[in-house]
Amino acid sequence: MTPPRERRRRGIDGGPAVPRLDLPRHGSVRRAQMITTYGVGSLIAVDNESFIVSGIDQAHHSWRLDEAPIIHEHRLARALDVRHFRLPPASDDGSKDGVRVRRFPLWHSCPQCKSLQHVRGFNPPPGKNVCTKCDEEPLVPSRFVVACEDGHLDDFPYWKWLHRDNREEGATGLCGGKMSLHFSGRSASLRSVVVSCTCGVPEVSMEGAFRRSALKDLKVRCEGKRPWLEGSPTDFCSKSPRTLQRGSSAVWQPVLRSALSIPPWSDGLADKLAKHWEKLRTYSSREKIEAYLEGAFPEDDSVSVDAVMDLLAAEQEEDPTPESVATDNHQKLRRQEYEQLSVGNALRDKGRKEQFICEPPLSDTTLLHPFGIERTMLVKRLREVRALKAFTRIADPETGSDDHEAALSLTPTDWLPAMEVHGEGVFVRLDQHRLDGWAESVSVAARVERMRGNHDRLLRERATDPAKVPSSPATPRLVLLHTLAHVLINEWSLEAGYPAGALRERLYTDDTMAGFLIYTATSDSAGSLGGVIAQGEPARLTEALHSALRRATWCSADPLCIETRSSGAGGTNLAACHACAMLPETSCEYNNILLDRALLIGTSDDQQLGFFTHVLN
């Protein structure tokens, strides 16, 4: 979004900064919010108005490179089949352009005369959203919209809702009357929101509009509208539309993908070669590559032939093989990061442009062996790129297939909006042999199987096609690592002074991985200051683990919390609540599900259930 009009803005030369196109300015948001909260296709309220963020079809023309620079992250770009990423434009005093928005919803009501109609019917002056009949009273955008699981969005059909019992079979056209919207004041429910018409039909409240089959019973079909994409064709959709509140989180949910910059792509050379990479990968001989580099980078010693050859070889190794086709790109990225975090990348002999520095602690790590921790690494420097791939409506991203992801543009683009953050973290890897022996316990397996069954049922209930829903990832290893990361983040937020929302987890779990990364990667005051690395030193980490596990033995909601047979959304948690193991949603990769602190410390009936029971005893 571009900054509000009332702010005084000056250009670089001291004169007033104005957009290249004479477009009005409506509010401002942070760059990160353009990826996570107010991305393409989302609704945003600015004062008394409501807008939808436009697609990125023409963004490469309106986003200036100096305000919306290109971001390179080779591994993530290949996984998402794009060439690069773009940072959304900033909204500071020197910016000229911003993100384009369009007015939506188009149906408005006047709080004074109660008129309810399309915004054009109020005949507002250019650049204003007022009722000309009521001394320019600000209009109120419709509180209700309709959407389907394929991502389509439209205005709520007020006329059909009001005249549902007063239309003859097969009749077309409107009644010719004027509708109005008012509040009866009898209650705070939808029953008090009343719609009426001058044609004489009985007035109708909005009660029942949110029923799953409310619009289907009225024979209202999804028209396939995509108001965020200019010029998009409309065609009736097979999905049934549903009524949603304009500000509901179900109206827009981002589909995000992220990756860490790791060697050999983290030293800045790949960014410099980005414009030449398509040509370089066509060469197979060293002589041709050397000749090309001499012409493309004259008198630049930082671009060596050996380094380019290493990058080409690394890309070939990352190419999919017949054995790895079944593995999704997300899991491939995680496995590469896990291997690099385990090996490390020392600071010595690395330039200032190196974006990934990972070293083992210098002090004695045997203090951590009783916890079953095989290795810890101090990630002194990291870079993460988070890209907005698509978005969904109504259906959760984890339950919806790619077919239900709404596109960011009308035609495919070779880039996606993204943000990059820099920070630091601590990587912890557990002993897989000890994990496997503990997971073989009958009580552990039964407890996790209960969570897995509940999660599978929840996924099927939320999915459009239950047959295509992937099975729950819940395993003893994942639940243990996930819960341990949560209690450790809570401990660091108390002892190290970091707010829990400034720390994030990154889980690495499958049959060959058993670790997690806790890191801070923000652009505010809780960024990379060395505090997280200090917590990863063996002595401090040992104290933090002891304290975190002791805190986990008691919850203010006990004994209800520790003895519950299901908690959380759909019973996907066991002994976990906001008083003991849950985190802010921005810090958790699984939306605060698949947690159970009993797997850490056991229960009063079964102490051996806990992986760390022997440490506490």
Side-chain angles (χ1 to χ4, degrees):
M1 301 293 291
T2 51
R5 175 177 290 180
E6 60 269 18
R7 290 175 56 185
R8 294 192 61 186
R9 307 164 56 80
R10 294 195 173 276
I12 299 176
D13 57 355
V18 296
R20 287 174 292 174
L21 299 176
D22 188 17
L23 299 175
R25 305 181 185 276
H26 295 284
S28 63
V29 296
R30 295 167 56 188
R31 273 177 163 172
Q33 291 179 305
M34 296 304 304
I35 304 298
T36 59
T37 310
Y38 300 120
V40 172
S42 66
L43 297 180
I44 177 171
V46 181
D47 296 331
N48 294 323
E49 301 179 85
S50 177
F51 303 93
I52 188 168
V53 181
S54 300
I56 61 174
D57 292 280
Q58 302 300 323
H60 61 283
H61 295 304
S62 61
W63 291 13
R64 294 159 44 105
L65 284 177
D66 57 342
E67 296 180 3
I70 293 176
I71 300 175
H72 295 287
E73 173 45 52
H74 188 81
R75 295 168 55 248
L76 185 60
R78 294 195 73 197
L80 297 179
D81 195 23
V82 295
R83 296 183 60 184
H84 58 265
F85 306 96
R86 292 286 300 275
L87 189 67
S91 293
D92 54 26
D93 289 337
S95 63
K96 294 184 178 181
D97 291 291
V99 176
R100 300 292 186 260
V101 296
R102 308 179 70 187
R103 190 177 301 282
F104 190 86
L106 297 178
W107 276 70
H108 289 61
S109 62
C110 176
Q112 185 168 333
C113 67
K114 312 300 181 185
S115 178
L116 173 66
Q117 58 184 327
H118 194 282
V119 67
R120 289 196 302 266
F122 293 98
N123 195 26
K128 293 186 178 182
N129 190 38
V130 296
C131 179
T132 54
K133 297 180 180 179
C134 302
D135 298 328
E136 296 193 352
E137 180 76 17
L139 298 177
V140 179
S142 171
R143 290 172 50 191
F144 312 105
V145 295
V146 296
C148 80
E149 293 177 343
D150 279 351
H152 301 132
L153 189 68
D154 201 355
D155 283 276
F156 183 81
Y158 286 102
W159 192 91
K160 293 181 180 180
W161 180 259
L162 175 60
H163 297 78
R164 51 188 165 181
D165 297 326
N166 298 274
R167 287 187 295 166
E168 296 180 1
E169 187 67 26
T172 59
L174 302 180
C175 63
K178 295 184 178 180
M179 291 190 296
S180 61
L181 177 72
H182 66 276
F183 300 90
S184 64
R186 298 174 184 173
S187 67
S189 66
L190 291 175
R191 185 179 301 178
S192 295
V193 183
V194 180
V195 183
S196 60
C197 183
T198 58
C199 70
V201 297
E203 62 181 21
V204 174
S205 73
M206 293 296 296
E207 185 178 19
F210 287 88
R211 288 188 295 109
R212 185 179 292 270
S213 60
L215 299 179
K216 183 178 181 181
D217 295 342
L218 294 180
K219 298 181 181 180
V220 175
R221 299 174 58 187
C222 177
E223 298 183 6
K225 292 185 177 180
R226 295 178 289 177
W228 67 96
L229 300 178
E230 183 178 1
S232 63
T234 58
D235 191 11
F236 282 104
C237 171
S238 60
K239 304 298 180 184
S240 298
R242 290 179 55 184
T243 305
L244 299 173
Q245 289 204 59
R246 174 164 46 92
S248 170
S249 61
V251 172
W252 189 84
Q253 299 180 79
V255 179
L256 300 175
R257 296 292 182 265
S258 69
L260 301 181
S261 297
I262 59 174
W265 310 102
S266 58
D267 61 355
L269 178 60
D271 297 353
K272 186 177 294 187
L273 296 172
K275 296 181 180 179
H276 311 275
W277 193 249
E278 294 297 329
K279 190 68 176 178
L280 286 170
R281 60 157 51 112
T282 62
Y283 297 136
S284 57
S285 65
R286 181 185 181 90
E287 291 75 14
K288 291 183 178 180
I289 294 176
E290 186 174 5
Y292 182 88
L293 293 178
E294 289 178 355
F297 301 95
E299 301 180 359
D300 190 348
D301 298 335
S302 63
V303 183
S304 66
V305 180
D306 293 333
V308 174
M309 295 288 290
D310 291 341
L311 290 179
L312 290 171
E315 185 180 77
Q316 292 179 356
E317 292 180 1
E318 295 173 0
D319 287 338
T321 60
E323 294 78 11
S324 64
V325 170
T327 306
D328 63 276
N329 292 330
H330 175 74
Q331 196 66 5
K332 290 178 184 177
L333 294 177
R334 288 298 172 96
R335 187 169 288 113
Q336 294 167 4
E337 293 173 7
Y338 180 78
E339 293 172 356
Q340 192 63 56
L341 286 167
S342 299
V343 174
N345 191 40
L347 179 60
R348 59 181 180 275
D349 301 330
K350 299 296 179 181
R352 293 183 178 181
K353 294 184 178 180
E354 178 60 47
Q355 299 165 338
F356 182 83
I357 301 296
C358 179
E359 299 177 336
L362 298 179
S363 54
D364 186 12
T365 60
T366 57
L367 296 172
L368 299 170
H369 290 175
F371 295 93
I373 294 178
E374 185 179 60
R375 177 170 300 178
T376 58
M377 301 292 285
L378 306 181
V379 187
K380 299 182 178 180
R381 193 183 303 168
L382 65 84
R383 171 181 179 261
E384 181 190 19
V385 175
R386 304 169 191 163
L388 177 63
K389 175 191 175 187
F391 64 90
T392 62
R393 304 196 195 277
I394 301 177
D396 291 336
E398 64 176 355
T399 61
S401 62
D402 293 344
D403 297 336
H404 299 292
E405 292 180 355
L408 305 183
S409 58
L410 193 58
T411 56
T413 61
D414 62 353
W415 65 279
L416 290 172
M419 59 177 291
E420 62 176 348
V421 290
H422 299 266
E424 59 181 344
V426 176
F427 173 70
V428 177
R429 193 177 82 180
L430 269 63
D431 186 341
Q432 297 193 51
H433 295 292
R434 288 184 59 174
L435 275 175
D436 292 338
W438 165 80
E440 292 176 356
S441 170
V442 175
S443 57
V444 171
R447 197 170 178 92
V448 175
E449 184 60 32
R450 191 189 313 159
M451 300 171 63
R452 181 184 179 88
N454 292 338
H455 192 207
D456 280 332
R457 184 183 68 254
L458 181 65
L459 293 177
R460 290 192 300 269
E461 290 175 352
R462 292 180 175 179
T464 304
D465 186 359
K468 297 183 179 180
V469 176
S471 59
S472 170
T475 61
R477 181 177 296 192
L478 182 142
V479 177
L480 175 70
L481 289 168
H482 190 199
T483 312
L484 179 60
H486 273 230
V487 299
L488 194 54
I489 288 176
N490 279 328
E491 179 65 25
W492 285 355
S493 69
L494 296 173
E495 298 296 331
Y498 278 91
L503 299 174
R504 298 171 63 94
E505 67 177 2
R506 197 169 181 86
L507 302 178
Y508 301 92
T509 59
D510 64 8
D511 295 337
T512 61
M513 299 188 295
F516 60 86
L517 172 69
I518 297 178
Y519 65 105
T520 176
T522 61
S523 57
D524 58 13
S525 59
S528 176
L529 299 174
V532 176
I533 296 176
Q535 302 305 313
E537 291 294 338
R540 285 195 175 185
L541 184 56
T542 300
E543 294 180 1
L545 286 170
H546 271 294
S547 179
L549 293 173
R550 283 196 301 268
R551 292 181 192 275
T553 60
W554 184 86
C555 171
S556 59
D558 281 342
L560 181 62
C561 178
I562 195 67
E563 295 179 357
T564 185
R565 295 188 61 82
S566 66
S567 66
T572 50
N573 289 335
L574 287 181
C577 67
H578 285 286
C580 57
M582 290 188 177
L583 293 175
E585 299 253 336
T586 55
S587 301
C588 178
E589 286 198 305
Y590 284 95
N591 296 321
N592 276 325
I593 65 173
L594 306 182
L595 297 167
D596 183 15
R597 61 188 173 94
L599 296 186
L600 301 179
I601 46 86
T603 63
S604 57
D605 297 331
D606 187 359
Q607 288 290 326
Q608 299 306 314
L609 185 68
F611 184 80
F612 300 101
T613 301
H614 65 284
V615 178
L616 296 175
N617 292 336

